[in-house]
Amino acid sequence: MKMIRNYKSMIPSVSRVRILMIGPVGAGKSSFFNSIFMGRMTSKTMSGSAGTSLTTQFCTYPVKDGREGKPLPFVLCDTMGLEEQSGAGLDIDDISSILQGHVPDRYKFNPMAPYQPDEQKASRPASLQEKIHCVVYMIDGTKISLMSSKLEEKLAAIRKKVNSLGIAQIVLMTKVDEACPLVEEDLQSLYVSSYIKMKVQEVSSRLGVPVSCVLPVKNYSQELELELNCDVLLLTALQQIFRFADDYFDDMRSVEGNLI
């Protein structure tokens, strides 16, 4: 928490890291938001297990250090869940607009028609502060083996777009306690579980990312009190996200020099 509280971007014009969460419906994206907010249990976003996305808007959530605390140096950006069918769930063109900082907060998605900026916005490039600095893919560790080829292709297309913009990417493998009975009994056994290691490798292979970019996490779901081991996994993931964002800022600084 100390590292997160004291974090400062290496680019003075960027005060907060903007983190975009992307994942299939039911992967635990909204639950991750609720787990992170204000260091305590909240229901800031609606989470559940419906067959279609419960999130219908693009929403940005600044995070405070406790109920009355100072703003922390990051913003979580929530989107519709990914769905297999074309014309359902988040559109890849919408993702492109979000990455480049064009989509306004609370914009309601239309799966049948991607976002179209007005002429004034289209002619003005977004500032680095408005753009996305790190993309986080949420993948359900219990369902990775069941992922359809269509969803895999959609994720590959998104990754290709994110790569083309040079934006940092990381994968959070959720529901590790449901994936492995040993981990459900003792979350610390995550570090020695051969089954979880195998699942991490499978996520790496299916999504085409290095194993080092796949982090296992457990979101709060039924718990009524905070748990240290759960917090360690979540905050470790946040730390890694900040490090990846720093790599992106370093690249931007190299490309644009002192013009930022």
Side-chain angles (χ1 to χ4, degrees):
M1 276 304 301
K2 184 178 179 182
M3 176 269 182
I4 292 167
R5 287 186 182 112
N6 296 336
Y7 174 83
K8 281 186 174 57
S9 159
M10 61 180 67
I11 296 176
S13 64
V14 178
S15 58
R16 293 179 183 175
V17 176
R18 286 173 66 87
I19 304 162
L20 177 63
M21 315 297 293
I22 295 176
V25 172
K29 184 165 54 69
S30 293
S31 294
F32 179 77
F33 278 78
N34 293 336
S35 298
I36 290 296
F37 270 104
M38 293 178 274
R40 60 183 181 82
M41 309 290 286
T42 68
S43 54
K44 191 85 171 183
T45 65
M46 187 182 294
S47 59
S49 55
T52 56
S53 181
L54 292 172
T55 304
T56 59
Q57 294 179 313
F58 172 67
C59 296
T60 61
Y61 296 103
V63 184
K64 289 183 178 179
D65 188 5
R67 185 182 289 273
E68 303 296 333
K70 295 180 181 179
L72 290 169
F74 66 97
V75 175
L76 295 173
C77 302
D78 198 11
T79 59
M80 284 184 77
L82 296 176
E83 298 185 41
E84 292 178 21
Q85 306 92 330
S86 58
L90 189 61
D91 188 280
I92 291 177
D93 289 334
D94 280 333
I95 293 175
S96 180
S97 296
I98 292 169
L99 294 172
Q100 297 176 75
H102 296 312
V103 179
D105 189 26
R106 306 295 162 176
Y107 168 74
K108 188 167 184 178
F109 294 108
N110 178 0
M112 303 307 294
Y115 172 76
Q116 294 291 336
D118 58 41
E119 288 184 19
Q120 187 177 359
K121 284 186 179 177
S123 62
R124 181 188 68 84
S127 67
L128 188 58
Q129 170 94 334
E130 296 170 303
K131 294 179 180 180
I132 296 298
H133 310 131
C134 185
V135 172
V136 178
Y137 302 95
M138 307 293 291
I139 301 296
D140 185 340
T142 67
K143 294 181 179 176
I144 183 63
S145 301
L146 305 174
M147 183 183 288
S148 69
S149 57
K150 285 185 178 179
L151 196 53
E152 203 168 327
E153 287 167 10
K154 213 172 210 181
L155 283 164
I158 294 167
R159 286 200 62 247
K160 186 176 180 181
K161 182 62 186 179
V162 177
N163 277 333
S164 73
L165 296 171
I167 298 170
Q169 302 177 73
I170 195 167
V171 180
L172 300 187
M173 188 179 80
T174 63
K175 305 185 183 181
V176 290
D177 54 323
E178 295 178 34
C180 177
L182 288 176
V183 175
E184 185 175 28
E185 190 175 313
D186 178 10
L187 200 53
Q188 288 191 4
S189 66
L190 170 84
Y191 301 103
V192 295
S193 168
S194 58
Y195 184 76
I196 294 298
K197 182 179 179 181
M198 180 184 73
K199 284 294 172 185
V200 166
Q201 290 170 337
E202 188 177 358
V203 169
S204 166
S205 175
R206 296 288 295 269
L207 269 64
V209 298
V211 168
S212 60
C213 293
V214 181
L215 301 181
V217 296
K218 178 195 178 305
N219 292 330
Y220 284 104
S221 54
Q222 301 174 2
E223 296 82 3
L224 297 176
E225 299 290 338
L226 292 174
E227 293 183 5
L228 178 62
N229 291 327
C230 191
D231 286 345
V232 167
L233 290 177
L234 291 166
L235 293 175
T236 299
L238 257 184
Q239 281 186 321
Q240 198 65 1
I241 289 167
F242 276 42
R243 293 184 184 115
F244 276 54
D246 273 342
D247 290 341
Y248 169 71
F249 292 140
D250 199 31
D251 290 343
M252 290 297 99
R253 194 166 57 170
S254 300
V255 170
E256 300 185 29
N258 295 322
L259 296 176
I260 300 174

